[in-house]
């Protein structure tokens, strides 16, 4: 995650944070998935990386919770499941957002594939929602 002595990941997250409003649902879910994968690959990041991740997640959650979760209505089942999984995987299971994700998942449950149901179920359980 370092290149030429500068931390690439925090810089990339900062740049991505400024473009959140331009991302479609799949782009948001994929970006969050990438953050979660990097987090699991490097569970003890540098403080600057931790701060960048926290700031990015706070901004992304704000976008997703805006208008009472209005952005989530455009999410496909895969996007909902990936977002829920990623939030829990990075240790940022924002309860309000998780409840909004569950609410949207319930309206689209008939569209979920088995893997998406499993991923969403794991995230809900791991987040302590019942």
């Amino acid at each position: 995650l370092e290149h030429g002595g500068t931390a690439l990941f925090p810089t990339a997250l900062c740049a991505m944070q400024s473009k959140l409003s331009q991302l479609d649902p799949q782009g948001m879910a994929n970006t969050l998935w990438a953050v979660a994968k990097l987090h699991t690959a490097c569970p003890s990041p540098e403080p600057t990386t931790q701060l960048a991740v926290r700031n990015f997640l706070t901004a992304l959650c704000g976008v997703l919770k805006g208008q009472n979760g209005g952005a989530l209505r455009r999410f496909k089942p895969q996007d909902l499941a990936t977002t829920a999984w990623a939030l829990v995987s990075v240790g940022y299971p924002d309860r309000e957002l998780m409840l909004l994700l569950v609410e949207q998942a319930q309206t689209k449950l008939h569209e979920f594939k088995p893997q998406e149901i499993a991923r969403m179920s794991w995230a809900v359980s791991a987040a302590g929602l019942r």
Side-chain angles (χ1 to χ4, degrees):
L1 297 177
E2 299 237 347
H3 178 15
T6 60
L8 178 62
F9 189 52
T11 304
L13 278 180
C14 189
M16 183 58 76
Q17 186 174 331
S18 69
K19 299 182 184 313
L20 283 176
S21 64
Q22 298 171 26
L23 292 176
D24 63 5
Q26 184 178 6
M28 286 186 196
N30 287 349
T31 301
L32 193 49
W33 175 87
V35 170
K37 288 305 243 181
L38 285 169
H39 177 76
T40 56
C42 182
S44 299
E46 294 293 320
T48 54
T49 301
Q50 290 176 350
L51 181 61
V53 168
R54 182 71 45 192
N55 289 342
F56 175 79
L57 292 173
T58 299
L60 180 62
C61 287
V63 169
L64 294 177
K65 290 189 299 190
Q67 301 171 343
N68 198 26
L72 295 174
R73 291 185 192 98
R74 298 180 300 135
F75 276 48
K76 295 178 181 175
Q78 182 177 359
D79 304 328
L80 293 168
T82 298
T83 299
W85 171 87
L87 286 170
V88 174
S89 293
V90 297
Y92 197 90
D94 180 291
R95 184 172 177 76
E96 181 184 352
L97 180 54
M98 290 297 294
L99 291 172
L100 290 168
L101 286 162
V102 167
E103 181 182 305
Q104 283 305 307
Q106 288 173 332
T107 68
K108 299 174 183 183
L109 198 54
H110 64 281
E111 299 173 36
F112 274 65
K113 295 177 184 169
Q115 182 180 1
E116 295 159 351
I117 292 171
R119 188 178 298 137
M120 190 75 188
S121 298
W122 175 85
V124 168
S125 177
L129 302 177
R130 302 279 182 244

